[in-house]
Amino acid sequence: MADIYREYVLLDPKKCSHSSSSSKHFISIIGQPQDPEYYMATVAAEVVGRNNKDSLEVTVKPAMEADYMQFLVHCKRMKGGGTWSINTKTCIFKDGQYMGDCYTFLDWLHKTYGYEEYRTHPVYGALAATGYREYIASRKHSFVFMDIVTDNDSPILHIVLELFDDVCPKMCKNFVQLVNNKYEGSVFHRLLPDGWIQGGDYVDGSGANSVSFDGQDLEDETFAIEHNKQGVLGMANRGPNTSGSQFYITLGECKWMDEQYVAFGQVVLGLEDLEKLKEVPTINQRPSVPCRIQKCGVWSPP
């Protein structure tokens, strides 16, 4: 996987510095495509950039929630400073340095180029809804959701998983079939707060069963996807080419899993809810309160 920091922030030295003798600014807009402020910033940049090509160069990068959060972690580590204050779904960099949020950018465009924003927030809300659906479709991957309950009083935890059909087509097809037909009502039987959460034994929830949708063990298609972050989805096994129905989601970096278990997806929405699963009490790595998939299925943006 590409270094997300290098993917989202311009690191070309010529584009990361701006001297008084330079007449050109380089802008990077990084944001979640469901965020109206992402479109507010990109529309403004497009309008101004169209007539100021000699003084303004803009790069726009959409990022799913999980990628955006990973980007922020890397960004704070690499740049520090004002990046530690980022708490929005869209952020702007000017000449390689953190500039601020959408409104800081709009203020700069107004002062520098006379840009006036006249569209209302509902307009950008509509743009975000349409743009988000188009962005999801452009990824050409399957998406599924899981609503997880941990006890009768806790709120439902909602996560959305992106499946890399182009990398692991057989594994992804099996998982979608299980999500649609078997997983609902099943439990997570193993939890290591600093490692992973594991479920998928839809037979009796003991963790002793792992049966694929068609009953056949699945081959290890590829080990191309690394376990390098929280939210990686993979299939548990009992040895090479023995994946069935049991799956895991990493709760942190688990590099030791590389070359042993096939990862084929990632959490793209609901990282905060995934984090809450670390708080579920356990006895001998098994949740001591019900930790159950209440509902699951194929997901598409609203």
Side-chain angles (χ1 to χ4, degrees), residues 17-272:
S17 61
H18 186 83
S19 65
S20 58
S21 61
S22 174
S23 60
K24 194 165 193 176
H25 288 287
F26 298 90
I27 300 294
S28 293
I29 301 172
I30 303 97
Q32 299 181 41
Q34 72 271 34
D35 181 24
E37 293 179 10
Y38 169 76
Y39 295 91
M40 196 178 296
T42 55
V43 167
E46 180 182 346
V47 170
V48 175
R50 192 182 303 137
N51 299 317
N52 297 277
K53 294 180 181 180
D54 293 336
S55 64
L56 192 67
E57 182 175 322
V58 179
T59 300
V60 177
K61 285 285 188 179
M64 296 293 286
E65 180 193 59
D67 289 335
Y68 186 75
M69 297 305 292
Q70 186 187 13
F71 158 73
L72 290 185
V73 170
H74 283 260
C75 192
K76 291 171 182 178
R77 185 183 304 158
M78 296 286 290
K79 286 200 172 285
T83 60
W84 285 98
S85 65
I86 299 175
N87 59 2
T88 57
K89 295 180 179 179
T90 298
C91 58
I92 319 294
F93 288 77
K94 179 169 72 73
D95 304 322
Q97 300 300 315
Y98 175 59
M99 180 184 205
D101 61 12
C102 166
Y103 298 102
T104 302
F105 179 53
L106 292 180
D107 185 60
W108 179 77
L109 288 179
H110 173 71
K111 292 177 178 178
T112 308
Y113 297 98
Y115 177 75
E116 296 286 350
E117 177 56 73
Y118 63 88
R119 300 169 185 84
T120 61
H121 202 274
V123 170
Y124 289 108
L127 276 176
T130 301
Y132 190 36
R133 287 191 292 269
E134 292 175 350
Y135 177 70
I136 292 297
S138 73
R139 292 176 76 91
K140 301 185 185 303
H141 288 158
S142 300
F143 291 82
V144 300
F145 75 92
M146 290 185 177
D147 288 341
I148 302 168
V149 292
T150 55
D151 58 52
N152 293 330
D153 298 324
S154 297
I156 295 173
L157 305 179
H158 181 77
I159 63 173
V160 174
L161 296 147
E162 178 180 21
L163 310 183
F164 304 136
D165 310 77
D166 50 339
V167 179
C168 299
K170 294 179 182 178
M171 202 75 76
C172 292
K173 179 181 179 181
N174 174 65
F175 192 75
V176 170
Q177 290 173 320
L178 291 168
V179 163
N180 284 333
N181 298 281
K182 299 292 186 180
Y183 284 154
E184 193 165 298
S186 66
V187 300
F188 288 94
H189 62 270
R190 193 178 186 189
L191 169 61
L192 289 81
D194 296 321
W196 69 96
I197 187 166
Q198 186 170 331
D201 178 357
Y202 61 82
V203 177
D204 61 16
S206 67
N209 309 282
S210 185
V211 185
S212 71
F213 185 73
D214 65 7
Q216 303 296 314
D217 288 343
L218 298 174
E219 64 180 7
D220 298 333
E221 286 182 275
T222 180
F223 295 108
I225 308 301
E226 299 177 33
H227 299 78
N228 59 355
K229 61 182 179 179
Q230 183 184 49
V232 174
L233 169 68
M235 274 294 182
N237 62 47
R238 57 185 185 280
N241 303 309
T242 58
S243 296
S245 62
Q246 285 196 35
F247 66 93
Y248 58 83
I249 302 173
T250 61
L251 299 177
E253 185 177 288
C254 294
K255 290 291 291 178
W256 65 269
M257 288 184 169
D258 295 348
E259 305 298 327
Q260 294 188 52
Y261 301 97
V262 175
F264 61 96
Q266 65 176 346
V267 174
V268 290
L269 293 173
L271 280 178
E272 291 184 357

